């Protein structure tokens, strides 16, 4: 049996029934890493074999005699490199934090650690999660396991590629404007962005604080439900995490969609959209109809402003959040500076890449005296209208179904010179973050060039259960989630 092929719940079962040991899991995944990682480059810091084996031996020893496992025990999970891991470098894909070793774990990580999971590595991302392709990483791009000439999506491209290439059993990512769902769609895996406030962000390096959310990348919907249960819930360390009961998401998974009303927003299906994406998503909607869902056309008229609003709000918040990288408190400091001001400017000049600088400049401008109302104030007002669109729609339907990404994964290098084209990769995912609602991307097809396509299912705030239920019913009725890239290397 190839252990790396199993889903989280399958591997967990094997392990809890003592059919495999922690050492066997550690060995299998170390081997997989050695074989496949050089081709995919999903990780900035892959785990060392010796570390994994030492941890595995300790786990097997602990279980001797009385076998009592926790759900994530010995499960190899990858973590995006903007989520703090105590004692393990957390770079955010930036030269600025190239040497930064956090003194504490993010809350999501400490929950995993308390269950004796394996940290299989810290995954690659666009610098500070700004991008849609991982090409903005200071450490080089990740490659799409389906076709190495193509992007894996971004910014959680390393996490998505690691799951797709069976380098880990599941991964965590962060999603500010689509960074979990879009790479999940590109790599043919399941990507869940929970409701804003559902999961603690303590220890997530801030990009745009009113939008950022941690979520999961998994091989199927069952695994997403299981992992969400572990990471969701109030955390006193994060005042934006909501004190709302966490249901047992796995129990909400059903194979029928009977009684569910599904909205299809006409603004997401426009002339000139990619025919393969349109065809795959429309087929998914038909499938939902067969599963007894009631399909209804709806309208989200403010969608057309989402990208513009996002790039004012996200850059404004980023310019403020990134002010802390000044060469004094974290990471690198420019050498041979003359005086404090020069130290600040040189450090930021050398530490940040081009896209991060572009965003800091845009955001600083949008917040500056005289322009604040015209840009940031206006964007916040339109954001409220976008949220209202969703509120109205959810009076009539339980979930909303759309494409995740406008096209299958494009080629590496294709859009690096054209930031606007790159920004448009998130046209279907961004409004979800602006509204703060949960959404999942699930595989729904393959293009003629054998690149994955994903359908997005959006729900009401804190109704991840319905999103997961619909996603699971759809997934179980199809075979798309079982398709794997031809990794014969
Ligand atoms: N691609 C979007 C951006 O560049 C979203 C990134 C994200 O969700 N972190 O900002």
């Amino acid at each position: 049996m190839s252990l790396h092929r199993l889903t989280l719940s399958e591997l967990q079962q094997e392990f809890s029934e003592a059919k495999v040991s922690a050492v066997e899991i550690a060995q299998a995944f170390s081997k997989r890493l050695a074989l496949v990682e050089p081709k995919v480059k999903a990780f900035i810091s892959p785990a060392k074999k010796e570390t994994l084996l030492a941890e595995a031996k300790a786990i097997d020893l602990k279980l001797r005699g009385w076998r009592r496992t926790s759900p994530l025990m010995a499960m190899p999970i990858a973590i995006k490199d903007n989520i703090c891991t105590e004692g393990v470098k957390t770079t955010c894909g930036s030269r600025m934090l190239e040497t930064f070793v956090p003194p504490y774990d993010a809350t999501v990580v400490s929950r995993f650690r308390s269950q004796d999971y394996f940290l299989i590595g810290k995954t690659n991302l666009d610098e500070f999660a700004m991008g849609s392709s991982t090409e903005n990483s200071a450490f080089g791009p990740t490659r799409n396991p389906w076709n190495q000439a193509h992007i894996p999506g971004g910014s959680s491209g390393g996490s998505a590629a690691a799951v797709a290439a069976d380098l880990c059993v599941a991964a965590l990512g962060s999603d500010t404007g689509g960074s979990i769902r879009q790479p999940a769609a590109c790599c043919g895996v399941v990507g869940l962005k929970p409701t804003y406030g559902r999961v603690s962000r303590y220890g997530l390096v801030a990009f745009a604080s009113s939008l950022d959310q941690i979520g999961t990348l998994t091989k199927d919907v069952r695994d997403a439900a299981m992992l969400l249960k572990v990471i969701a819930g109030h955390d006193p360390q994060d005042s934006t995490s909501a004190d709302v009961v966490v249901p047992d998401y796995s129990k909400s998974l059903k194979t029928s969609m009977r009684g569910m009303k599904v909205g299809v927003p006409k603004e997401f299906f426009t002339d000139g959209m990619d025919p393969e994406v349109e065809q795959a998503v429309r087929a998914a909607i038909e499938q939902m109809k067969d599963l007894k869902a009631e399909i209804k056309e709806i309208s989200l008229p403010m969608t057309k402003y989402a990208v513009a609003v996002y790039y004012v709000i996200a850059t404004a918040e980023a310019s403020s959040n990134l002010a802390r990288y000044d060469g004094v408190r974290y990471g690198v400091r420019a050498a041979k500076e003359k005086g404090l001001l020069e130290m600040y400017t040189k450090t930021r000049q050398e530490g940040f890449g081009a896209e991060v600088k572009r965003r800091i400049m845009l955001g600083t401008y949008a917040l500056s005296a005289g322009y604040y109302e015209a840009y940031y104030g206006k964007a916040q007002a339109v954001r409220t209208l976008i949220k209202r669109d969703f509120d109205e729609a959810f009076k009539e339907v339980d979930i909303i179904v759309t494409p995740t990404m406008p096209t299958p994964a494009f080629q590496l290098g294709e859009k690096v010179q054209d930031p606007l084209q790159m920004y448009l990769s998130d046209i279907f995912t961004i409004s979800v973050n602006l509204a703060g609602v949960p959404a999942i991307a699930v595989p729904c097809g393959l293009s003629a060039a054998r690149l994955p396509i994903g359908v997005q299912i959006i729900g009401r705030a804190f109704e991840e259960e319905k999103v997961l239920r619909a996603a699971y019913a759809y997934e179980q009725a199809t075979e798309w989630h079982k398709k794997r890239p031809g990794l014969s290397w």
Side-chain angles (χ1 to χ4, degrees):
M1 173 180 40
S2 304
L3 292 180
H4 59 261
R5 289 251 163 198
L6 302 182
T7 65
L8 174 58
S9 58
E10 288 164 354
L11 187 60
Q12 194 181 67
Q13 192 171 351
E14 293 292 306
F15 180 68
S16 66
E17 290 171 3
K19 290 186 184 145
V20 291
S21 66
V23 167
E24 282 165 333
I25 295 174
Q27 269 163 345
F29 279 85
S30 301
K31 202 168 136 201
R32 184 80 186 155
L33 267 180
L35 197 69
V36 174
E37 170 58 7
K39 310 276 200 310
V40 178
K41 299 197 187 314
F43 293 94
I44 292 176
S45 309
K48 292 201 174 69
K49 188 176 176 183
E50 309 83 74
T51 314
L52 286 176
L53 282 178
E55 286 174 9
K57 279 183 192 145
I59 292 174
D60 284 338
L61 206 63
K62 195 160 145 181
L63 292 178
R64 229 186 252 172
W66 188 36
R67 193 169 183 87
R68 213 184 121 167
T69 58
S70 45
L72 298 184
M73 189 180 252
M75 295 299 114
I77 298 177
I79 311 262
K80 187 177 183 180
D81 210 21
N82 61 350
I83 300 176
C84 287
T85 38
E86 185 183 340
V88 178
K89 211 168 60 167
T90 299
T91 67
C92 291
S94 181
R95 291 274 165 231
M96 190 62 101
L97 294 177
E98 198 170 359
T99 56
F100 173 62
V101 178
Y104 66 94
D105 275 333
T107 296
V108 289
V109 173
S110 56
R111 290 193 184 179
F112 285 0
R113 213 191 274 267
S114 68
Q115 296 197 12
D116 291 319
Y117 86 124
F118 288 139
L119 173 59
I120 194 78
K122 300 295 299 285
T123 54
N124 197 17
L125 69 159
D126 288 291
E127 186 174 4
F128 286 101
M130 298 175 189
S132 308
S133 67
T134 75
E135 291 166 298
N136 295 334
S137 168
F139 308 107
T142 294
R143 292 166 186 277
N144 192 316
W146 291 80
N147 183 331
Q148 293 159 65
H150 288 251
I151 59 133
S155 65
S156 312
S159 289
V163 175
D166 295 325
L167 291 164
C168 60
V169 78
L172 289 185
S174 68
D175 191 315
T176 304
S179 276
I180 288 175
R181 292 158 286 154
Q182 187 262 23
C186 288
C187 291
V189 300
V190 173
L192 172 67
K193 181 203 91 76
T195 309
Y196 184 79
R198 195 22 125 186
V199 175
S200 167
R201 298 178 300 169
Y202 177 72
L204 168 69
V205 178
F207 160 13
S209 308
S210 76
L211 300 159
D212 297 340
Q213 183 61 76
I214 292 176
T216 60
L217 293 116
T218 53
K219 296 183 185 185
D220 67 12
V221 176
R222 177 176 294 286
D223 289 357
M226 208 210 94
L227 269 191
L228 179 62
K229 169 90 176 135
V230 179
I231 61 174
H234 181 61
D235 171 15
Q237 306 264 43
D238 174 5
S239 58
T240 65
S241 72
D243 202 352
V244 178
V245 180
V246 179
D248 187 348
Y249 295 107
S250 304
K251 294 218 170 92
S252 59
L253 308 179
K254 299 204 174 78
T255 49
S256 150
M257 287 178 74
R258 191 182 295 279
M260 288 194 106
K261 292 201 180 98
V262 177
V264 180
K266 58 173 190 263
E267 292 80 5
F268 285 66
F269 296 84
T270 51
D271 288 346
M273 78 183 290
D274 184 285
E276 290 187 305
V277 172
E278 175 167 18
Q279 192 268 328
V281 175
R282 292 227 185 259
I285 295 167
E286 280 306 306
Q287 182 72 56
M288 293 181 188
K289 210 193 253 173
D290 291 346
L291 290 164
K292 307 276 185 279
E294 189 186 316
I295 314 289
K296 207 173 163 165
E297 187 181 83
I298 58 162
S299 174
L300 297 169
M302 294 294 153
T303 302
K304 57 177 180 286
Y305 301 118
V307 174
V309 166
Y310 171 86
Y311 277 97
V312 173
I313 294 177
T315 56
E317 293 181 7
S319 72
S320 158
N321 275 326
L322 270 59
R324 74 190 70 173
Y325 305 105
D326 55 7
V328 177
R329 286 167 288 185
Y330 306 89
V332 303
R333 172 184 295 187
K336 295 199 207 101
E337 79 286 353
K338 291 191 212 72
L340 186 63
L341 191 62
E342 195 180 305
M343 192 276 286
Y344 288 159
T345 51
K346 272 188 116 177
T347 297
R348 289 169 70 80
Q349 198 173 46
E350 291 168 16
F352 290 137
E355 181 61 25
V356 173
K357 285 178 186 157
R358 175 166 26 243
R359 303 229 184 168
I360 292 173
M361 285 190 280
L362 281 171
T364 307
Y365 180 78
L367 289 176
S368 58
Y371 294 104
Y372 183 95
E373 272 312 313
Y375 291 102
Y376 192 68
K378 190 78 163 188
Q380 288 291 20
V382 182
R383 177 179 189 173
T384 304
L385 298 178
I386 291 172
K387 182 175 176 304
R388 257 186 228 158
D389 269 3
F390 280 96
D391 292 344
E392 282 306 308
F394 282 128
K395 284 183 187 156
E396 293 181 60
V397 296
D398 299 300
I399 53 165
I400 296 173
V401 176
T402 75
T404 306
M405 169 139 166
T407 59
F410 46 88
Q411 285 189 14
L412 284 160
E414 200 177 316
K415 297 193 180 175
V416 274
Q417 300 307 335
D418 190 345
L420 183 60
Q421 280 309 313
M422 191 69 95
Y423 295 172
L424 290 173
S425 311
D426 302 300
I427 195 159
F428 297 141
T429 46
I430 273 176
S431 49
V432 168
N433 301 73
L434 291 168
V437 293
I440 197 167
V442 183
C444 72
L446 283 178
S447 71
R450 276 193 73 76
L451 286 163
I453 298 171
V455 57
Q456 174 173 239
I457 302 173
I458 309 167
R460 293 188 195 107
F462 298 101
E463 288 196 356
E464 283 86 358
E465 280 176 290
K466 280 189 190 153
V467 170
L468 288 162
R469 177 184 158 192
Y472 182 76
Y474 169 72
E475 177 194 78
Q476 292 304 304
T478 63
E479 293 285 309
W480 298 115
H481 65 293
K482 292 191 185 140
K483 302 247 184 287
R484 316 300 301 158
L487 295 169
S488 50
W489 320 313

